[in-house]
Amino acid sequence: LSESGVPQLVQPMIWDYAADLDVESKVQLVEKYQRCGFSKVWFASAFKGATGVNQSLTLIGHHLKNHLQWMKVASSSPAEVLEGIVLTGWQRYDHFSVLCELLPVAIPSLAVCLQALKNGGYSEKIKEDVEKLLGMSNLEIDTFMR
């Protein structure tokens, strides 16, 4: 791979939407890409649409945990190699499925995930900031929003 010249042409993206993604294996993957000559890598998370084929509501806690895990990967990887993170929001769980988790029900999840990334974690203050920003009285993280 190093000799092919590909690492000078592209930047790989590492995808994982799991709430319990294996931080150590992702760090090892970043290091492997770096040894192959890739100067930068991207991470790909999801703020919606990645937890089930019939999902209609977004479980914010799942996506928040995914982002917190990605932040652990970033802090354990060489700083110069991370180019960024892409927050995906899938409209279909797969190409053969009906629409799932439409954007309006997922906006609170997007707001929480963005604030967690921006602030380097999640706290009660961040929860309150998101509630205020979205005009919500009680943001539910570990249960489905009503």
Side-chain angles (χ1 to χ4, degrees):
L1 187 61
S2 298
E3 295 170 12
S4 72
V6 170
Q8 285 68 49
L9 301 173
V10 299
Q11 295 176 342
M13 185 172 292
I14 305 170
W15 303 73
D16 198 323
Y17 307 142
D20 61 348
L21 72 85
D22 184 345
V23 172
E24 185 55 37
S25 71
K26 294 296 182 272
V27 171
Q28 290 173 1
L29 189 55
V30 169
E31 292 168 349
K32 183 181 279 189
Y33 277 132
Q34 194 175 31
R35 285 192 308 274
C36 289
F38 291 96
S39 60
K40 298 288 185 184
V41 299
W42 289 82
F43 298 157
S45 64
F47 71 91
K48 74 174 198 78
T51 56
V53 67
N54 296 323
Q55 200 80 358
S56 58
L57 300 174
T58 304
L59 187 57
I60 298 170
H62 172 90
H63 299 290
L64 174 60
K65 289 173 188 168
N66 176 250
H67 286 87
L68 296 175
Q69 291 297 94
W70 275 120
M71 287 191 298
K72 289 179 184 176
V73 176
S75 67
S76 300
S77 299
E80 72 279 358
V81 76
L82 178 60
E83 185 70 6
I85 184 167
V86 175
L87 283 78
T88 64
W90 298 102
Q91 282 301 126
R92 297 179 193 276
Y93 186 75
D94 63 43
H95 295 292
F96 305 107
S97 300
V98 298
L99 294 176
C100 66
E101 297 181 63
L102 300 178
L103 183 59
V105 300
I107 288 174
S109 179
L110 176 59
V112 165
C113 293
L114 286 170
Q115 287 299 311
L117 290 172
K118 178 183 174 188
N119 292 288
Y122 186 74
S123 66
E124 188 62 31
K125 166 101 171 66
I126 292 172
K127 178 181 184 271
E128 291 168 4
D129 290 347
V130 170
E131 287 172 340
K132 183 177 178 182
L133 177 71
L134 297 179
M136 301 175 73
S137 59
N138 188 24
L139 180 66
E140 297 288 336
I141 298 295
D142 295 316
T143 60
F144 290 109
M145 298 287 295
R146 286 183 222 135

